Amino acid sequence: RNTLRFLLANTSDFDPATESVDYKDMLEIDQYALARAAQLQKEIIGHYQVYEFHPVVTKLQLFCSEDLGGFYLDVLKDRLYTTAPQSLARRSAQTALHQITQALLRWMAPFLSFTAEEAWKIFGDSDTIFLEKFIELPAGDDALLAKWNRIREIRDLVNKDIEAVRTEGKVGASLQAEVTLSAQPEDLALLQTLADDLKFVLITSAASVVAGDE
């Protein structure tokens, strides 16, 4: 319900008919979020086709807590709250959030029926979620998924280090931290593609990357 509240609140001023951004023009992290959702939807449909509900419950819970709450929505907050209403940055994010919400309500409807229907009354454009079919999500490619999965792994390492410094009382929130990453060539090249956006992904006040052993 908390995930849905965030999604509904941040798409409430978004008209998909006139304000959607083409997938090719979206920010890369938004493309990744949709590709990850498409990957999950393929698994969910496979489970539903053989009436396996429990794996769907588990995977949906992990998606909401880790992929969305623990990463994508966490990174997205500043962009949603501080960029201009009609900017590409905000509309790209809202396009992704709108499509993810469309998919999420359909995934959950068979076992969270009342919650899905309640949200659909606010979000949807038909009488009931139970007459809807699964939507088609842009799948991205393996390279995109691999790149951002690695970025998430690196982000987790940074968060552990920040938490250690926080425990010592040297910083409060992560935005009080400045991070320098030392990385081997493959990770170095990957992180350099983020440029100034690295600090937004890490949710720090500053972030840089240099060549190193690890």
Side-chain angles (χ1 to χ4, degrees):
R1 289 185 69 90
N2 286 337
T3 301
L4 275 179
R5 288 175 66 182
F6 184 96
L7 294 171
L8 294 175
N10 285 283
T11 54
S12 60
D13 66 335
F14 178 72
D15 182 354
T18 60
E19 296 169 337
S20 291
V21 177
D22 288 342
Y23 182 78
K24 63 180 176 59
D25 297 324
M26 295 173 71
L27 274 65
E28 192 175 79
I29 190 173
D30 300 327
Q31 294 177 340
Y32 165 72
L34 286 174
R36 176 69 192 102
Q39 186 181 48
L40 177 63
Q41 177 166 273
K42 184 177 180 180
E43 296 174 13
I44 286 175
I45 291 174
H47 288 303
Y48 277 150
Q49 286 174 340
V50 291
Y51 300 98
E52 293 177 347
F53 290 86
H54 188 267
V56 178
V57 175
T58 302
K59 290 181 179 182
L60 187 61
Q61 184 178 22
L62 288 173
F63 180 74
C64 288
S65 63
E66 296 184 9
D67 291 279
L68 294 182
F71 176 65
Y72 182 55
L73 303 185
D74 196 28
V75 172
L76 212 57
K77 288 175 184 175
D78 282 347
R79 180 155 40 115
L80 288 168
Y81 300 157
T82 63
T83 54
Q86 297 296 332
S87 64
L88 173 63
R90 191 163 191 273
R91 291 311 186 197
S92 173
Q94 288 184 305
T95 301
L97 293 180
H98 188 271
Q99 292 185 43
I100 289 170
T101 308
Q102 288 277 357
L104 182 67
L105 292 175
R106 289 162 169 79
W107 301 340
M108 65 192 290
F111 56 89
L112 290 172
S113 305
F114 292 104
T115 302
E117 185 74 342
E118 180 185 359
W120 188 253
K121 296 298 183 185
I122 299 170
F123 181 81
D125 54 5
S126 65
D127 291 338
T128 175
I129 185 69
F130 299 106
L131 295 177
E132 298 297 317
K133 296 180 179 180
F134 290 113
I135 68 167
E136 184 175 347
L137 293 165
D141 55 43
D142 291 341
L144 177 71
L145 288 164
K147 173 182 177 178
W148 281 92
N149 287 339
R150 180 56 183 157
I151 289 172
R152 289 178 62 177
E153 291 173 354
I154 294 169
R155 183 177 183 266
D156 287 343
L157 295 173
V158 173
N159 284 339
K160 287 180 181 178
D161 282 352
I162 292 175
E163 186 59 35
V165 177
R166 183 187 288 117
T167 301
E168 296 172 3
K170 295 180 180 179
V171 297
S174 63
L175 280 170
Q176 293 178 327
E178 296 182 7
V179 173
T180 299
L181 286 166
S182 172
Q184 293 179 343
E186 187 173 348
D187 285 336
L188 179 67
L190 181 152
L191 292 168
Q192 286 176 333
T193 65
L194 297 179
D196 195 47
D197 286 343
L198 179 59
K199 68 181 180 183
F200 296 112
V201 171
L202 300 179
I203 315 182
T204 57
S205 62
S208 59
V209 57
V210 298
D213 295 330
E214 60 181 352

